[in-house]
Amino acid sequence: MATHDNRPNTALLVVDVQNGVVAGAHQRADVVANVGGLVDKARRERIPVVWVQHFDEELAKGSDEWQIVPELRRADGEPLIEKQYGDSFEDTDLETVLADLGIGRLVVVGAQTDACIRSTLHGAFVRGYDATLVSDAHTTEDQTAWGAPPPAQVIAHTNLYWNFQTAPGRTAGTVETKDVDFRAS
């Protein structure tokens, strides 16, 4: 269990599923559909859905690129965290939002695998959260021109190493969309 006392709840953390982030993403349609299915499941089970939205020079607030993809809709009252750094906790009020909701466990989905997803997973873990990555609900774009492996390999490698992440008093791991259990501890 997470190292946060009195925080037994789970949240679905939806990171940067924005037009400009996932436009050229690997298996975009499948990943967005999986994220959408998990958002629907979380809402049915009364699990908080927390949205994260990146902004910078290329993703200017209010621009079409900055918007959450049209297939997904944030419901009234669902928290929205605006961030400028890869780690969704860095210089945001995410920790305060999670504390107010009694969240000690995060189920993480979104983009980009090799940037904001990895940074946020590690940020959560070092801050004492249990962090589960949904193995088929995160994606990245092709960065091979800059020396990165192909997207499928980046995703597979992230799933591999996150499944074996360990630390005292915390759990990590991966799970497929079909096997997500928001009530598991």
Side-chain angles (χ1 to χ4, degrees), residues 90-106:
E90 202 63 48
D91 198 27
T92 71
D93 62 349
L94 179 56
E95 262 192 288
T96 301
V97 167
L98 297 175
D100 290 348
L101 294 169
I103 304 299
R105 176 177 175 247
L106 296 173

Side-chain angles (χ1 to χ4, degrees), residues 48-71:
V49 179
V50 179
W51 299 83
V52 177
Q53 198 168 10
H54 192 86
F55 68 93
D56 58 26
E57 289 179 10
E58 294 176 17
L59 292 169
K61 287 184 182 182
S63 70
D64 185 56
E65 292 80 14
W66 175 78
Q67 300 297 326
I68 302 293
V69 298
E71 297 94 326

